[in-house]
Amino acid sequence: MATKRKRDDETANGTSKKHVTGTLLKNDQTPSITIQIITGSYERALHGFTATIPQEIVNSKNQEPFETSSDPSELTESSPFTVSFADTFLFNAHHSSLTTLALSPSSTTNPTKITLATGSTDAQIHLFSLSTSPPPISKSHPVPPPSTTTTPIPPIHENPLHRTLGTLLHHTSPITALTFPSPAKLLSASLDNTLALTRTRDWTLLAQLHAPAPNPGAQQRRPEGDTAAPGDAPRGINAVAVHPSRKLAVSVGRGERCLRLWNLVTGRKAGVLGFERQAAVARVGGGVGGKYGRRQEGQGVVWEEEDGGEEFAVAFEGGAVVFELDARPRCVIVPEPRTKVGKIRYLPGSRGKGENGVKGGEGKNNEGKRILALSTEDGRALFYDTAGTNLGKDDVLQAESNGEKVAEEKSAIFLGQLGGRSAEITSRIKDFKILELSDTNASDVSGDLLVITASSDGSVRVWRLSRHELESPGPALQNGESIGGEKSENGTIATSADETTKPQRQVGKLLATQETGHRITCLEAFIMSSAVPVPDEANGDAKASEDGDSKSSSEDDEEDEE
């Protein structure tokens, strides 16, 4: 990957958007956490860069904004700390725009390597081996001098341990989803209506699952806004998620108002859940009029993993529906104010661990909660408790006005939001990643989270989120509504400048922003391990060969365990 590096930071209109903001660093000896961030874009660029966060910033409880600077030459001794960014790779990975990224789980036998898979509209899947150790400062690419313009040039820290593995040609249409159920398996989805299960040891195709094509004659079933040709029907798989047992998978597709269940053991279809008669889906995916909520096809799906996959969530255009394991709707999520929903993810470790180390037991933070996060088109990341039993206010009012009993579809409890108008962030969040700090040496913030969001305008933001901020919001907040300007002990109520919207509860702290200069489509990130000695260029090939052998043996062991 290092041989393909490109230093062209110009956008399509010829203007550079490269810009770095953050907090200032006092010295290079400060203990820090390094995050590897990877983004894909419409411009075909695969961009990898690291964010180094000093421990003092993560541990700080100060809610006041840190001092920021866009030029490294402005650093002074009185400046406290900074979140520093450094490019690790930047090149055109595909022939057309990237659509999805996936990172393999870390192997216990070889934790220094993970696999990156990239999908594109060119129907190809490219594979890369990434090192989990922070890259050293390269002698061949030293840190550039301070920029003479208003746009600083970030340092270049290429990692010689990164390698290209090859390309998979299992599909004939754009790739829509990639996921690693385990280090030994890769599951991919495409608009050709197929799922492909691949073994990572030798990248052999193990099974190809075919979803039925929608009926072209059923024009009344076509969702609004589809791009199918006249006389044809939209087709393709939008998203896929694997159950924690690795034996089942669920998928949602274009032109289908249903969810499909797949048996990964036999490689066959296992069932179908129709959405047309689901009242909960009608509220978010086919509601009564309005700008949003007119499509009943699923846009995304994700399994909850902390309780063994007891529930899963399906994202629609106007919200999300959480289903229990028996496919009964548990609760509904409708963002307020109404907006389109993008990605959805469960918070890692949101159920907490009890005193005996059992997940789902009595924990100090977020006890008894399953927290689902979703991104929106108006620049917000919203957090909801899907395990709460309280009914949303909209359910109660609707039932009372109709003289009926309260609907079975409860509303998830709103906990807070990141970004939005109150934070002066309005660009669409295309993707986001949630990382848990309990795996680092940050003992003071064990269990806290780092949230990385990627916006369509090219901005990548790093947030610190404490689990204490996601505790019960209290009587002043209910389903996103609050008393304007009031503060609660768990967070600050941010009043929107738009009088037509209701104030929302802001959580988290923005640590830094990186402008990539590309229109981002997808994002992945992971916390890097401690640094390891890196071989000289003369010994690079030998070390790479050793790593390749180690990787193969590691994957063999994983495969045998499977």
Side-chain angles (χ1 to χ4, degrees):
M1 294 173 63
T3 59
K4 297 183 180 181
R5 170 142 188 106
K6 185 180 68 172
R7 293 303 305 160
D8 183 10
D9 294 328
E10 294 185 353
T11 57
N13 59 6
T15 61
S16 177
K17 296 176 59 180
K18 204 74 173 178
H19 183 68
V20 180
T21 63
T23 55
L24 301 183
L25 182 63
K26 190 171 185 180
N27 55 66
D28 296 335
Q29 304 302 323
T30 304
S32 60
I33 297 173
T34 303
I35 305 171
Q36 175 68 66
I37 302 174
I38 307 121
T39 62
S41 65
Y42 287 110
E43 291 84 3
R44 303 175 296 162
L46 183 65
H47 188 187
F49 56 94
T50 58
T52 303
I53 308 174
Q55 197 71 63
E56 286 77 2
I57 292 181
V58 179
N59 296 342
S60 175
K61 303 301 181 182
N62 182 17
Q63 292 299 320
E64 296 298 326
F66 291 100
E67 185 179 356
T68 61
S69 174
S70 59
D71 191 344
S73 63
E74 298 178 3
L75 299 178
T76 62
E77 289 296 330
S78 60
S79 301
F81 308 104
T82 187
V83 176
S84 58
F85 294 93
D87 288 344
T88 54
F89 54 86
L90 174 62
F91 62 98
N92 290 336
H94 288 267
H95 299 295
S96 56
S97 60
L98 278 75
T99 56
T100 181
L101 302 175
L103 289 172
S104 66
S106 178
S107 172
T108 57
T109 57
N110 187 17
T112 62
K113 291 286 186 178
I114 61 173
T115 302
L116 168 68
T118 65
S120 170
T121 55
D122 62 7
Q124 297 181 2
I125 301 173
H126 290 183
L127 304 167
F128 306 93
S129 176
L130 302 184
S131 172
T132 59
S133 301
I137 298 179
S138 175
K139 295 180 181 180
S140 59
H141 295 279
V143 177
S147 175
T148 57
T149 64
T150 57
T151 304
I153 302 176
I156 305 169
H157 293 174
E158 292 183 334
N159 197 325
L161 298 182
H162 292 342
R163 291 290 182 270
T164 300
L165 299 180
T167 302
L168 299 180
L169 303 175
H170 297 333
H171 299 280
T172 59
S173 295
I175 308 300
T176 56
L178 294 170
T179 181
F180 284 89
S182 70
K185 300 290 190 301
L186 170 65
L187 183 64
S188 57
S190 171
L191 291 185
D192 60 8
N193 251 28
T194 63
L195 294 171
L197 186 62
T198 306
R199 182 173 57 200
T200 62
R201 181 178 60 184
D202 50 8
W203 302 109
T204 299
L205 180 64
L206 299 179
Q208 194 163 28
L209 314 178
H210 296 266
N215 183 7
Q219 297 295 329
Q220 70 275 9
R221 293 175 56 87
R222 294 183 61 169
E224 298 183 18
D226 70 77
T227 57
D232 197 1
R235 57 179 296 177
I237 297 175
N238 286 330
V240 62
V242 180
H243 189 268
S245 67
R246 306 174 185 174
K247 297 180 180 180
L248 300 174
V250 291
S251 67
V252 289
R254 295 188 179 184
E256 291 187 326
R257 301 178 181 181
C258 65
L259 179 140
R260 296 191 178 276
L261 180 66
W262 305 90
N263 189 329
L264 297 183
V265 177
T266 61
R268 297 183 178 181
K269 294 172 287 188
V272 178
L273 172 64
F275 291 150
E276 291 182 328
R277 297 184 180 181
Q278 296 282 350
V281 176
R283 290 179 53 187
V284 297
V288 183
K291 182 178 180 181
Y292 306 107
R294 295 176 297 190
R295 300 173 64 177
Q296 284 188 339
E297 70 175 40
Q299 305 293 315
V301 60
V302 62
W303 279 100
E304 176 275 327
E305 298 183 356
E306 297 301 320
D307 286 343
E310 291 297 322
E311 69 178 33
F312 61 91
V314 179
F316 297 89
E317 187 179 58
V321 179
V322 179
F323 293 89
E324 296 179 352
L325 195 57
D326 57 2
R328 291 185 301 177
R330 177 191 294 273
C331 61
V332 178
I333 296 175
V334 181
E336 291 292 344
R338 296 297 295 271
T339 182
K340 289 184 179 180
V341 172
K343 298 290 185 177
I344 57 174
R345 298 184 189 275
Y346 278 95
L347 262 68
S350 58
R351 291 285 283 183
K353 293 185 179 181
E355 296 180 356
N356 296 328
V358 180
K359 289 185 178 181
E362 295 182 0
K364 293 181 179 180
N365 299 328
N366 310 136
E367 178 182 350
K369 287 185 174 64
R370 295 192 190 103
I371 301 177
L372 180 67
L374 63 154
S375 62
T376 65
E377 193 178 49
D378 56 4
R380 294 179 294 162
L382 307 177
F383 300 89
Y384 292 87
D385 177 16
T386 64
T389 58
N390 296 336
L391 293 177
K393 186 177 180 180
D394 53 337
D395 290 319
V396 177
L397 293 179
Q398 182 178 1
E400 292 178 350
S401 62
N402 297 333
E404 303 173 352
K405 295 182 179 180
V406 177
E408 295 182 359
E409 297 82 24
K410 307 176 180 65
S411 290
I413 300 176
F414 174 75
L415 300 177
Q417 73 172 32
L418 288 175
R421 288 182 178 271
S422 58
E424 300 181 352
I425 299 174
T426 58
S427 57
R428 173 176 48 180
I429 296 180
K430 292 289 292 185
D431 204 350
F432 67 99
K433 185 74 173 182
I434 303 174
L435 304 175
E436 193 172 14
L437 290 174
S438 60
D439 295 334
T440 69
N441 296 326
S443 58
D444 295 339
V445 292
S446 180
D448 284 356
L449 306 167
L450 289 176
V451 183
I452 297 94
T453 61
S455 300
S456 56
D457 61 357
S459 302
V460 176
R461 295 178 174 88
V462 181
W463 307 75
R464 183 198 65 201
L465 178 62
S466 173
R467 291 190 183 274
H468 293 288
E469 299 178 87
L470 298 178
E471 295 177 353
S472 179
L477 298 172
Q478 178 65 38
N479 204 33
E481 302 177 7
S482 61
I483 301 175
E486 182 179 342
K487 293 183 178 180
S488 70
E489 60 182 10
N490 297 320
T492 302
I493 309 305
T495 304
S496 173
D498 186 358
E499 296 180 355
T500 62
T501 61
K502 301 173 184 178
Q504 301 286 328
R505 175 173 178 260
Q506 282 284 345
V507 296
K509 168 68 177 178
L510 179 62
L511 299 182
T513 302
Q514 167 81 331
E515 297 289 348
T516 64
H518 301 99
R519 296 176 297 161
I520 297 176
T521 59
C522 46
L523 174 140
E524 270 291 354
F526 63 92
I527 298 178
M528 308 193 80
S529 59
S530 59
V532 296
V534 178
D536 297 334
E537 293 181 359
N539 299 331
D541 295 338
K543 180 64 177 176
S545 176
E546 294 175 4
D547 289 341
D549 296 340
S550 176
K551 178 178 176 63
S552 299
S553 61
S554 169
E555 292 169 346
D556 291 344
D557 295 339
E558 292 288 343
E559 181 65 24
D560 293 338
E561 292 177 4
E562 291 293 324

